[in-house]
Each structure stands twice: as C-alpha cells, then as structure tokens.
Amino acid sequence: HLREVAPDEPRRDVLLDVADRYGLPVLAPPIPRTVRFAEASASGSSVLAGRKTKGGAAYRDLAKAILKHWKSGKALPTFVPEL
C-alpha cells in the first residue's frame, strides 16, 4: 500500500491513487492538470490544439514516448512516487 499524502499534494495524490488502486504503472511524465483542458472540453476543441499549453505539450511528449516504445520495444518510463 502506498503512503498517505498531504492535502496540498493533489496531483501526487491522484498519481498515487491510480497506481495503488488499480495496480497500474503511471506513465511518465505525468500530464499536468490545467484549466485549458476544461476550456477545450467546453468548446469542443482538442487539448492538443494549443501548441504552447503545458498540458498539450505533455500529451505530445507522451505520444512520442509511446511511439518510440512501439517502434523499439523499449520500456516506457513510469512515475515512481517518493515514499
């Protein structure tokens, strides 16, 4: 079981919860939560549309890592919580 985290660590809390609850690795780097995701959803646009958003860049980086893994068969980097 993973350790409890302080309430001021919401992103870390979500990552630990996913890893613990589902027993799944969390791919690294984690996607940051931004208000742009809600705005994109509300307007029907893609979070990838904004080239300069942290979230969009993180999704593009993750997609590149997945493609690299798919082509090479090398392991994907995962988030490892500090306990």
Side-chain angles (χ1 to χ4, degrees):
H1 184 33
L2 299 174
R3 74 169 177 85
E4 294 294 320
V5 293
D8 61 339
E9 299 180 36
R11 179 174 145 188
R12 180 183 194 79
D13 188 34
V14 169
L15 296 172
L16 291 171
D17 186 49
V18 168
D20 190 38
R21 182 181 307 234
Y22 301 105
L24 296 171
V26 177
L27 299 178
I31 305 297
R33 194 181 313 189
T34 71
V35 73
R36 302 233 183 210
F37 290 163
E39 292 171 351
S41 177
S43 68
S45 62
S46 169
V47 296
L48 297 175
R51 292 275 176 206
K52 296 186 179 186
T53 65
K54 287 182 182 180
Y59 272 113
R60 283 188 289 281
D61 289 345
L62 181 59
K64 288 176 190 174
I66 290 170
L67 283 172
K68 185 176 179 180
H69 161 72
W70 184 56
K71 291 177 180 178
S72 70
K74 292 183 181 177
L76 287 167
T78 56
F79 170 77
V80 179
E82 294 177 18
L83 300 176

